[in-house]
Amino acid sequence: MNLIKKYYTPSNTPLGEGGGEGGRAKKSVSVLSPATVANVVCGFDILGFALNNPNDEVTISLSDEVGVQIINQDDFDLPTDPEKNVSGAALLAMLEECPDVKGFTLISKKHIKPGSGIGSSAASAAGPVVAANYLLGNRFSKEDLVRFAMFGEKVASGVKHADNIAPAIYGGVTLIRSIFPLDIIAIDAPELYVTVVHPQIEVRTADARKILKQNILLKDAIKQWGNIAGLVAGLIKHDYELIGRSLEDVIIEPVRSILIPGFNEVKSKCKEAGALGGGISGSGPSIFMLSKDEATAKAVEKEMSNIYERIGLDYQTHLTTINQEGVKLVSS
Ligand code: HSE
């Protein structure tokens, strides 16, 4: 397990360069903000990992106007009122703690479709705060950035949760032991290939949370605790078999999977094709599967495609790996 560095510098940028401590002030910063898989089957609201693909493109610059100006350069028609916009809400929370800064201008080009289940809102919240922090000389810790970004997540789903935001900012696999106060643990996972299928329906996280049971049976809780502990142990021990048999959710999946056409078939066929296991990505409708090697991940992608071709539902697949660095600086 890694202890987390307190002060954040995008990992591909040496300290002191650009916006880094002691460096020249920069006018604008562009980053790639990654998609993420939250829950990781049994860890509802407490586990997540970042993906190398897809990413949103975000550019931030300092503004002389008070507040946050949002320029959307995509077809998603997201609100430009910062209080109703995920990125805007996150940046406004940051501005509250920056009395010396008037405002930011944000240019957002999203590639992660909202409502896809692969952390579109978290990418919208995490990218801007990491970029803005860099612009301000990295004055905030990663933990602070998660705290700001959660204001964005609240706009999207009605509640603050960090299981997409933390991996988007820290990279890798993260465990969120607590959000009040924040306690985020980076988990040193083995190499894993991730195959994602996004059936082209939209599931709003807020709706997918409303349908969940508020009370659970003790016997189900015990099973879930065993699986979460097994999954975390399996990741740390790089024990693929243990990871595979811990990827079981007896609480959330039985309720939410009903919203996803083909879910049970995708799961069973992908496991037959050699996947370690998988399930609903975040609140869905995307489904993710973990594999030990690329050939298996490709076979899994083929199974996913076959199923949605047969069902006659449009879909998109991603075959990728775990992003270890989180939001990535691309230019400043
Ligand atoms: N943990 C959240 C949920 C993730 O499942 O509602 C949303 O992407």
Side-chain angles (χ1 to χ4, degrees):
M1 221 176 302
N2 295 330
L3 279 180
I4 287 168
K5 269 192 298 182
K6 186 157 169 52
Y7 289 98
Y8 181 48
T9 300
S11 48
N12 57 341
T13 311
L15 267 175
E17 188 183 293
E21 287 142 36
R24 284 171 290 128
K26 286 289 174 188
K27 287 207 165 69
S28 78
V29 170
S30 298
V31 296
L32 290 177
S33 193
T36 43
V37 170
N39 301 336
V40 199
V41 181
C42 51
F44 180 70
D45 275 1
I46 64 162
L47 278 176
F49 59 79
L51 298 174
N52 274 315
N53 184 49
N55 291 276
D56 285 347
E57 297 172 65
V58 171
T59 300
I60 289 273
S61 45
L62 290 171
S63 166
D64 287 333
E65 280 182 52
V66 175
V68 180
Q69 285 78 48
I70 295 166
I71 301 164
N72 292 319
Q73 290 187 340
D74 49 48
D75 297 329
F76 295 121
D77 202 23
L78 294 171
T80 51
D81 174 349
E83 286 181 19
K84 295 187 182 136
N85 177 289
V86 169
S87 314
L91 287 169
L92 287 173
M94 186 186 233
L95 278 175
E96 286 275 315
E97 296 184 27
C98 299
D100 57 325
V101 181
K102 272 195 177 158
F104 297 114
T105 300
L106 163 75
I107 300 175
S108 168
K109 199 176 199 176
K110 286 192 71 62
H111 302 283
I112 310 167
K113 208 169 174 179
S116 57
I118 49 172
S120 179
S121 53
S124 291
V129 294
V130 171
N133 192 38
Y134 185 69
L135 210 49
L136 300 177
N138 296 314
R139 62 175 72 171
F140 294 109
S141 69
K142 282 186 179 182
E143 212 175 88
D144 289 329
L145 300 181
V146 171
R147 191 163 50 77
F148 300 140
M150 281 200 299
F151 283 87
E153 204 64 294
K154 188 160 187 228
V155 168
S157 67
V159 286
K160 287 183 176 176
H161 59 92
D163 52 339
N164 293 104
I165 285 169
I169 289 178
Y170 288 85
V173 182
T174 55
L175 165 68
I176 297 94
R177 194 200 63 80
S178 155
I179 55 168
F180 303 117
L182 268 174
D183 189 0
I184 298 166
I185 298 109
I187 293 173
D188 180 19
E191 185 177 50
L192 286 163
Y193 287 82
V194 189
T195 319
V196 178
V197 64
H198 174 202
Q200 302 287 293
I201 54 170
E202 188 182 339
V203 174
R204 293 184 62 243
T205 299
D207 297 335
R209 293 182 81 88
K210 272 187 214 139
I211 60 172
L212 297 177
K213 292 183 196 154
Q214 292 306 307
N215 296 296
I216 56 172
L217 295 174
L218 182 60
K219 73 174 177 55
D220 290 339
I222 292 167
K223 190 131 189 93
Q224 199 87 350
W225 293 328
N227 282 325
I228 297 163
L231 179 56
V232 171
L235 290 166
I236 292 168
K237 288 163 67 123
H238 295 199
D239 179 338
Y240 289 104
E241 300 307 316
L242 179 56
I243 292 170
R245 59 180 192 275
S246 304
L247 288 169
E248 180 194 31
D249 173 6
V250 296
I251 295 174
I252 309 295
E253 182 183 291
V255 182
R256 284 184 170 173
S257 59
I258 292 160
L259 304 174
I260 307 171
F263 177 80
N264 290 332
E265 200 183 351
V266 168
K267 224 175 124 174
S268 61
K269 290 280 184 209
C270 292
K271 280 204 206 167
E272 275 171 32
L276 296 168
I280 305 173
S281 175
S283 56
S286 289
I287 305 169
F288 80 99
M289 287 285 150
L290 297 179
S291 301
K292 232 159 117 169
D293 55 72
E294 194 175 6
T296 308
K298 279 189 179 156
V300 163
E301 187 177 33
K302 187 95 192 75
E303 290 296 340
M304 291 168 164
S305 303
N306 289 344
I307 291 166
Y308 286 104
E309 292 290 343
R310 205 172 49 246
I311 291 176
L313 182 59
D314 284 346
Y315 64 95
Q316 194 181 8
T317 58
H318 304 282
L319 198 165
T320 186
T321 47
I322 295 183
N323 164 343
Q324 300 295 345
E325 58 186 330
V327 176
K328 184 177 170 182
L329 186 78
V330 286
S331 71
S332 63

